[in-house]
Amino acid sequence: MIIDCHCHAGKGNGLTQPADTSAPLGRYLARAREANIDRTIIFAAFSDGYLLANREVARIIAGRPDRLLGFAFVHPVADKGRVEMMIREAVVSLGLVGIKVHRHDGRITREICEAARRYRLPVLYDVMGEVSVAEILAQEYPDVPFIIPHLGSFADDWKAQSGLIDHLVRHRNIFTDTAGVRRFDILEEAVKRAGASKILFGSDGPWLHPGVEIAKIEALGLNPEDRAAVLGGNVLRLVSRVQGFSVAA
């Protein structure tokens, strides 16, 4: 099974860039089908608070439960003090299976990590190049899986991406995804040093083409077992920890 672990969906409220305006799934889903992607994990576009946005994501998933899973987006600043309530609703009522946090909104907090631990959720945290935080997260929350997307930097910061590889190697609960990684040699080095078990396929749809992003995985020339792990097995293992989760749901 091929699972794209990184895709946005729904309306944002910033109106300053595509990422905080609208993330329509129509063309993405058609492209994903052409690329033989079976399931996609979606989360909200940027917002100034994610309570309503997560509910919208759940409504989108309800319309395509055969294709979509979801993570709850949390704003470290605007959602401060209500994270526990939001994550409880996300898991118990909305059926979401992970947490998304972005440095664009603010740095990850203990409040968020404690909720992830309580509900056994993976956290996809875009650090925007601040990869050193992986050391603290790994030490403070060794039982929480942290996915640092874009190999640490969507901005094509090779220093950050190379630095994240060290954390992937040293910490069993630090993972990465392949979304938007442009320096193929660094991605290849990450697989070589950290192993395929630490790498998740992601596209950063709907703005990046999932067929283009999956081509990078094929170009790695992995053996069948490692290819299956990167393309879906690894993320499935992380979300299967969530109470009540079923891939057939």
Side-chain angles (χ1 to χ4, degrees):
M1 176 176 287
I2 299 178
I3 303 174
D4 180 350
C5 79
H6 191 139
C7 183
H8 297 263
K11 298 288 187 179
N13 58 9
L15 305 180
T16 66
Q17 57 175 311
D20 68 4
T21 301
S22 181
L25 284 181
R27 285 197 299 174
Y28 166 85
L29 287 173
R31 292 166 173 172
R33 281 194 300 271
E34 291 175 359
N36 297 314
I37 295 169
D38 299 293
R39 304 293 288 268
T40 298
I41 293 174
I42 63 171
F43 30 79
F46 284 143
S47 178
D48 56 8
Y50 292 103
L51 183 64
L52 297 181
N54 291 335
R55 293 172 183 171
E56 181 185 5
V57 164
R59 286 193 294 270
I60 293 170
I61 293 169
R64 294 301 308 269
D66 59 320
R67 295 299 303 271
L68 302 175
L69 301 165
F71 279 15
F73 219 136
V74 177
H75 195 299
V77 180
D79 293 326
K80 183 178 179 180
R82 64 176 183 175
V83 169
E84 160 67 24
M85 176 274 290
M86 289 175 62
I87 298 305
R88 182 173 65 252
E89 177 183 276
V91 174
V92 176
S93 300
L94 304 181
L96 305 183
V97 294
I99 297 174
K100 170 67 188 294
V101 188
H102 204 294
R103 176 65 185 85
H104 167 84
D105 295 328
R107 292 182 173 90
I108 196 168
T109 62
R110 189 175 292 278
E111 181 184 19
I112 294 169
C113 294
E114 290 290 340
R117 170 181 278 169
R118 185 171 300 114
Y119 292 96
R120 297 175 58 82
L121 301 176
V123 179
L124 196 153
Y125 175 36
D126 190 332
V127 301
M128 295 181 65
E130 294 182 357
V131 299
S132 60
V133 71
E135 187 73 24
I136 296 173
L137 296 174
Q139 292 179 3
E140 290 291 305
Y141 294 93
D143 52 341
V144 175
F146 293 94
I147 306 161
I148 311 299
H150 315 303
L151 198 53
S153 173
F154 187 77
D156 199 22
D157 180 350
W158 67 268
K159 292 181 180 179
Q161 292 175 334
S162 296
L164 184 66
I165 296 175
D166 292 331
H167 295 289
L168 295 173
V169 172
R170 293 190 299 107
H171 302 300
R172 63 180 181 82
N173 65 324
I174 301 297
F175 302 83
T176 192
D177 78 26
T178 61
V181 177
R182 292 179 284 283
R183 295 179 182 266
F184 184 81
D185 288 348
I186 299 181
L187 178 59
E188 197 170 43
E189 183 70 11
V191 175
K192 178 181 178 181
R193 291 184 54 202
S197 66
K198 306 302 288 291
I199 314 296
L200 284 59
F201 161 62
S203 74
D204 210 359
W207 304 298
L208 301 188
H209 194 303
V212 173
E213 293 300 305
I214 205 170
K216 294 185 300 191
I217 310 303
E218 302 297 354
L220 288 168
L222 302 172
N223 64 50
E225 182 178 356
D226 286 347
R227 177 183 179 275
V230 171
L231 286 177
N234 292 334
V235 70
L236 192 59
R237 173 166 46 87
L238 297 184
V239 300
S240 66
R241 298 162 23 105
V242 183
Q243 185 175 359
F245 170 76
S246 171
V247 74

